Amino acid sequence: KWKPPKSPIGMLQEDLWPDVWKILVACILHNQTSRKQVDRVYPELFELYPNADSMAAADVEVLAGILRPLGLYNRRANSLKKFSHQYSNTEWKKPSDLFACGKYADECYDVFCTGNWKLVETNDGSLKRYVSWLRERENA
């Protein structure tokens, strides 16, 4: 079974492994915001909502309040609720089958969850550095 190694890149997804739902939530949170901003909200977020079912059932105003520092907090809260409901209650093959997930979520899923990192060609700076680090490590 694939276990992504800890890198000097320090991606949040490394710390959230092996929880696929949390890894994908991190991808959604990173949309149009910085890691520094996400670091300010995710500990409380995951303390109150430790899994998809709890977030799907969240009070949208409470969830939006936690997400306020990221901006677009009402949209983010509704997106996370819908995503979490679909995550638990639908059949999906890749994250982009789920609400609010796109190419970046698919790439992170391949790198951190399936181990198919060799197939990932990403434009995201941090993920690109992580994949390059994996390649260098493999060739060392």
Side-chain angles (χ1 to χ4, degrees), residues 3-121:
K3 180 180 180 182
K6 293 280 189 172
S7 77
I9 313 312
M11 292 188 68
L12 179 55
Q13 290 86 341
E14 295 175 62
D15 296 332
L16 298 175
W17 186 89
D19 192 320
V20 174
W21 173 76
K22 286 182 180 177
I23 288 170
L24 296 178
V25 168
C27 293
I28 294 168
L29 293 177
H30 280 101
N31 187 18
Q32 296 183 329
T33 194
S34 70
R35 165 75 192 264
K36 189 180 232 180
Q37 290 174 291
V38 172
D39 283 350
R40 292 174 35 207
V41 303
Y42 85 84
E44 180 182 6
L45 184 71
F46 289 146
E47 185 175 319
L48 280 176
Y49 309 108
N51 56 50
D53 292 335
S54 62
M55 189 169 283
D59 179 289
V60 75
E61 289 182 22
V62 173
L63 184 54
I66 295 168
L67 300 172
R68 183 178 285 275
L70 302 180
L72 306 170
Y73 48 90
N74 288 318
R75 189 187 83 185
R76 289 180 194 275
N78 286 309
S79 292
L80 286 171
K81 281 181 58 77
K82 187 170 182 177
F83 157 76
S84 295
H85 177 77
Q86 286 183 348
Y87 180 90
S88 292
N89 295 292
T90 62
E91 293 288 324
W92 57 275
K93 293 192 180 346
K94 60 185 192 273
S96 59
D97 294 340
L98 300 167
F99 189 79
C101 289
K103 183 177 187 293
Y104 177 66
D106 284 346
E107 292 167 349
C108 285
Y109 181 76
D110 283 341
V111 171
F112 294 103
C113 303
T114 69
N116 292 329
W117 59 269
K118 292 178 185 177
L119 305 176
V120 172
E121 295 292 330

